[in-house]
Amino acid sequence: MHTSSTSTAPDEGTQLLLSHFDDLDQQHLTSNLGMWFFLVSEVMFFSGLIAAYTVYRALAPDAFKLGSHHMAMWVGFFNTLVLLTSSLTMAFAVRCSQVGDRRGIVRNLILTALLGTIFLGVKASEYKTEIDHGYLPGRSFHVSEHDAEVLKAASLDANGNLDEAKFSRNKGQFQMMFVLYFFMTGVHAFHMIVGIAAVLIFAVLIRIKWFSGFGTTQVEVLGLYWHFVDVVWVFLYPLLYLIE
């Protein structure tokens, strides 16, 4: 990233070499490698969450299936398209940095941030609807009569009688589904907020020529983070919204 030495000739379009690197390629690869190490730690974190969801779902498939039916599938699909489009604009920003198109970089970064903001706005609307229906885990969590009937049907014993213990367990797992849903999507939303802030800051820094050259390495590293956040959603969407 930037140090005081990288801003001494920002208008030349040539990236400056920091003193502790042998050449620009080494400097570029080192920056990318640092981001990849960070992303590996993120992969392990989200893998743990997905594994937890998978285990709980296997233990109570009927309760989790009922929970998935309350997800707004088409809203999630719209948000998926929004994020995939933001990945495209981020890729354009990286390409613009490689060919020295400063305006193109700024334009595509702003578009990326705008699409990310739309995603969060839609997600916030989803949260409100779900909370209004009583699906926020905790004291306000509410199991409607229809949901209770579905869970009762899934809690019958071999003689067709209601197994109260199983019914109580299914209600708990039904709430657990929303615990995992809000936590996983909330953590993802937090990564989106961090990403949007970084994208806007980079747009300003590129605009004022703070980076040497055209900030190719910096924009590419930022792009890796953004694409990763998008890929996480590509896994979360079918997991939470689509799987029966």
Side-chain angles (χ1 to χ4, degrees):
M1 292 295 181
H2 178 84
T3 69
S4 58
S5 65
T6 61
S7 63
T8 55
D11 297 329
E12 298 299 327
T14 301
Q15 190 169 5
L16 297 182
L17 177 64
L18 299 180
S19 59
H20 48 285
F21 294 108
D22 293 333
D23 53 47
L24 288 175
D25 285 340
Q26 185 189 55
Q27 181 173 280
H28 179 79
L29 290 173
T30 301
S31 297
N32 279 352
L33 184 62
M35 176 53 76
W36 275 113
F37 275 127
F38 170 73
L39 294 182
V40 167
S41 69
E42 291 284 285
V43 167
M44 290 190 288
F45 174 72
F46 279 102
S47 296
L49 291 178
I50 292 173
Y53 180 89
T54 304
V55 170
Y56 274 102
R57 180 162 191 133
L59 292 174
D62 295 317
F64 274 65
K65 179 180 177 181
L66 178 61
S68 291
H69 285 171
H70 292 294
M71 300 293 111
M73 183 181 69
W74 291 108
V75 175
F77 178 72
F78 172 77
N79 253 353
T80 303
L81 291 181
V82 169
L83 272 195
L84 292 178
T85 305
S86 75
S87 267
L88 181 63
T89 56
M90 176 56 79
F92 285 153
V94 172
R95 180 56 183 163
C96 287
S97 72
Q98 293 169 343
V99 300
D101 180 1
R102 192 178 301 278
R103 288 186 177 181
I105 303 169
V106 175
R107 181 175 61 251
N108 283 292
L109 287 179
I110 291 175
L111 283 174
T112 301
L114 177 62
L115 290 166
T117 303
I118 291 173
F119 174 91
L120 289 178
V122 172
K123 195 66 209 161
S125 174
E126 262 193 277
Y127 281 159
K128 183 180 184 308
T129 301
E130 289 152 0
I131 291 171
D132 288 345
H133 283 84
Y135 295 136
L136 181 66
R139 292 183 178 181
S140 61
F141 188 79
H142 173 69
V143 180
S144 68
E145 290 186 10
H146 174 266
D147 291 336
E149 290 301 319
V150 174
L151 293 174
K152 283 181 179 177
S155 306
L156 301 179
D157 60 21
N159 298 320
N161 299 318
L162 178 63
D163 184 335
E164 292 289 350
K166 187 176 181 181
F167 176 53
S168 177
R169 190 164 55 249
N170 273 333
K171 285 200 295 185
Q173 294 297 335
F174 181 59
Q175 182 172 190
M176 177 56 72
M177 189 275 171
F178 286 96
V179 170
L180 292 170
Y181 162 75
F182 276 104
F183 186 75
M184 294 167 77
T185 56
V187 170
H188 177 263
F190 173 75
H191 281 72
M192 288 290 301
I193 292 170
V194 172
I196 291 170
V199 166
L200 290 175
I201 290 172
F202 272 52
V204 172
L205 294 179
I206 293 290
R207 179 68 180 82
I208 64 175
K209 303 176 182 178
W210 195 78
F211 295 121
S212 64
F214 294 94
T216 304
T217 298
Q218 291 85 350
V219 174
E220 188 172 319
V221 169
L222 177 64
L224 286 175
Y225 175 84
W226 191 265
H227 294 316
F228 168 77
V229 175
D230 290 356
V231 168
V232 169
W233 178 257
V234 170
F235 279 92
L236 292 183
Y237 174 61
L239 189 72
L240 298 170
Y241 290 72
L242 301 181
I243 295 178
E244 287 286 334

